[in-house]
Amino acid sequence: MGIPFFARYRMVMLAAAQFLRDEHVTAFPIDAASIIKRNGWGLKPYSEYAKSRHVDVNTVARELPSEDGFTVRKSGKYTIAYNDGVRTRERIRWTLLHEIGHIYLGHFKEFDETLLNRGGLDDRAMRVLENEADVFARNVLAPAPIVRELSRNVNTAYLLRTVFDLSGQATRMRIRYLSADLRFRFESLTQQFDTFINRVLYGKECTVCHYYFATPGAIYCPVCRNTDAISTYKGVTPDMIYDGFELDGNGYPKHECPRCGNEQLSGEHCKVCGVSLTNKCTNFQEDSWGNIEWECGEVADGNARFCTKCGSPTTYFSHKLLLPWDSVKRQPRDRPVSDLFADPFADPFEKVTSAATKEISDQDLPF
Ligand SMILES: [Zn+2]
Ligand SMILES: [Zn+2]
Ligand SMILES: [Zn+2]
Ligand SMILES: [Zn+2]
């Protein structure tokens, strides 16, 4: 098949949305290294080429097909090579998603792969494929509908630099093509990113119990009732864990009664033990005849001991279904490998590259 004359904008936008679903991406910045590993693709830093040839990374980068990165397909297996020399983490992530774009968009399968491998395409054809990979990269790293949703409350450039962790150049490109990309809204992507969007817009970390919560309009920490939680976006760093029960969006148990474990639930109270099933605020006022005149009514999370709006105890806490926060405090799990990219201080390839590239021998190299 010949290379198309223009970048296939609509097809690439669809593919980017499909990729986010296929890879179960629910937060940003994207963990490119884990995606590459999971798909069985190889990953090779330029410094490895440099080491085997006894030259520095800059020298080898000038000899390789691209200064930033490229992909080789040998006997059906893809290997992505990237410049780990002077490149920043943001720029490496962009390069990896650009290369993943070439793979995911089928450039190696649909078009003559030897030409792609050796950079033997003419300028026009090269530009078309490069544009497609760039459209893919920016809509996977910072999908237009999500960026728009968040920019209502947060400055767009700041958002792209901090939350999405884009480079300055990628940020400018994202902003320049935002309205153009928004024309292709095939279906709502935002639902998949509900939790992420909430965390960016409303995320707060409590200064006392260090619980992280994202409740619109929260004044009190739901775990310890402190009022000085600090607004912050914590990315995918594991949260401090406080035990609780699994509830649906209405504060109702998903599986069983929180007190007796009865699984046949219906109505406001458990048919077996009589406990009130919904976790909500207990704050109400009675008139002189004992009728409820006013109630806060705020529905709470499954581990909330206090109402985030008025600071009163929740039903679960007042029924002693939840213990005081300082007696159940638990440290978050160890950071999983998949979080490497999200940690600004971690070397993103430290653990991943050696395992992923071990089986690639010198004859797989493009030269
Ligand atoms: Zn490319
Ligand atoms: Zn707290
Ligand atoms: Zn019960
Ligand atoms: Zn309340």
Side-chain angles (χ1 to χ4, degrees):
M1 179 177 157
I3 310 262
F5 270 91
F6 299 102
R8 295 160 298 174
Y9 204 166
R10 185 185 165 81
M11 181 282 281
V12 177
M13 293 299 288
L14 263 175
Q18 186 60 44
F19 178 83
L20 291 168
R21 274 191 295 272
D22 285 352
E23 295 296 334
H24 307 289
V25 175
T26 55
F28 301 95
I30 285 200
D31 181 354
S34 290
I35 290 176
I36 288 168
K37 205 174 168 188
R38 211 164 39 238
N39 281 279
W41 302 324
L43 194 54
K44 197 172 175 80
Y46 280 15
S47 56
E48 279 192 32
Y49 293 95
K51 202 153 62 177
S52 62
R53 291 159 58 82
H54 308 288
V55 289
D56 66 45
V57 173
N58 292 330
T59 310
V60 88
R62 279 193 294 274
E63 294 172 20
L64 290 167
S66 155
E67 287 251 351
D68 283 297
F70 62 95
T71 302
V72 191
R73 184 171 184 241
K74 281 269 172 87
S75 6
K77 183 180 163 51
Y78 295 103
T79 299
I80 297 174
Y82 65 94
N83 190 341
D84 57 338
V86 293
R87 302 298 188 252
T88 62
R89 178 189 73 246
E90 298 94 311
R91 190 154 163 189
I92 290 174
R93 193 191 292 110
W94 175 278
T95 300
L96 296 184
L97 260 304
H98 173 101
E99 293 306 320
I100 291 174
H102 282 308
I103 299 173
Y104 198 77
L105 298 170
H107 290 171
F108 291 88
K109 285 185 175 156
E110 280 184 53
F111 311 118
D112 189 336
E113 62 185 68
T114 44
L115 285 177
L116 278 170
N117 279 354
R118 303 220 176 107
L121 292 171
D122 65 47
D123 284 355
R124 180 201 61 81
M126 211 53 216
R127 240 187 349 261
V128 168
L129 297 188
E130 286 303 285
N131 279 344
E132 289 193 355
D134 278 343
V135 172
F136 179 89
R138 72 170 182 256
N139 283 289
V140 163
L141 290 169
I146 314 291
V147 173
R148 218 236 334 225
E149 180 78 21
L150 294 173
S151 344
R152 294 180 212 276
N153 296 42
V154 191
N155 171 278
T156 314
Y158 174 80
L159 180 79
L160 292 168
R161 292 304 301 267
T162 54
V163 173
F164 291 89
D165 202 29
L166 296 188
S167 67
Q169 200 185 353
T171 296
R172 285 189 290 280
M173 192 204 262
R174 173 65 289 175
I175 291 172
R176 193 182 318 142
Y177 295 107
L178 191 61
S179 45
D181 288 353
L182 279 168
R183 286 181 294 136
F184 299 92
R185 293 185 75 173
F186 310 102
E187 59 191 283
S188 174
L189 247 190
T190 43
Q191 209 183 334
Q192 187 177 337
F193 297 100
D194 272 352
T195 307
F196 166 77
I197 290 169
N198 264 336
R199 282 172 77 104
V200 175
L201 294 181
Y202 311 113
K204 284 182 172 184
E205 183 170 352
C206 175
T207 52
V208 172
C209 73
H210 298 288
Y211 182 58
Y212 186 81
F213 56 104
T215 313
I219 296 164
Y220 296 88
C221 167
V223 168
C224 78
R225 204 180 177 273
N226 168 38
T227 51
D228 334 305
I230 292 167
S231 289
T232 171
Y233 173 61
K234 270 189 69 186
V236 294
T237 316
D239 301 335
M240 187 68 81
I241 298 161
Y242 289 98
D243 289 327
F245 298 94
E246 237 192 298
L247 308 182
D248 65 16
N250 301 313
Y252 199 78
K254 271 190 180 165
H255 310 292
E256 54 185 29
C257 167
R259 182 193 272 164
C260 73
N262 163 32
E263 289 175 8
Q264 282 160 333
L265 302 177
S266 65
E268 224 349 86
H269 294 91
C270 173
K271 302 270 185 294
V272 177
C273 73
V275 79
S276 132
L277 289 170
T278 305
N279 193 25
K280 59 177 191 185
C281 179
T282 53
N283 188 4
F284 67 91
Q285 271 163 24
E286 287 174 347
D287 61 20
S288 41
W289 292 280
N291 301 315
I292 291 176
E293 199 171 45
W294 171 88
E295 65 174 333
C296 170
E298 186 72 14
V299 164
D301 288 341
N303 63 356
R305 281 114 173 115
F306 300 97
C307 171
T308 57
K309 301 281 149 57
C310 73
S312 301
T314 60
T315 44
Y316 281 14
F317 192 52
S318 65
H319 292 319
K320 298 194 165 53
L321 302 176
L322 294 169
L323 295 165
W325 71 274
D326 44 357
S327 63
V328 291
K329 189 176 173 177
R330 259 202 293 153
Q331 290 297 326
R333 298 149 281 141
D334 274 348
R335 184 179 280 268
V337 175
S338 61
D339 286 349
L340 286 172
F341 257 81
D343 183 350
F345 305 110
D347 170 358
F349 296 98
E350 196 180 26
K351 286 175 197 158
V352 186
T353 45
S354 52
T357 57
K358 211 163 35 202
E359 72 276 36
I360 298 164
S361 66
D362 266 334
Q363 64 203 44
D364 290 328
L365 301 189
F367 53 82

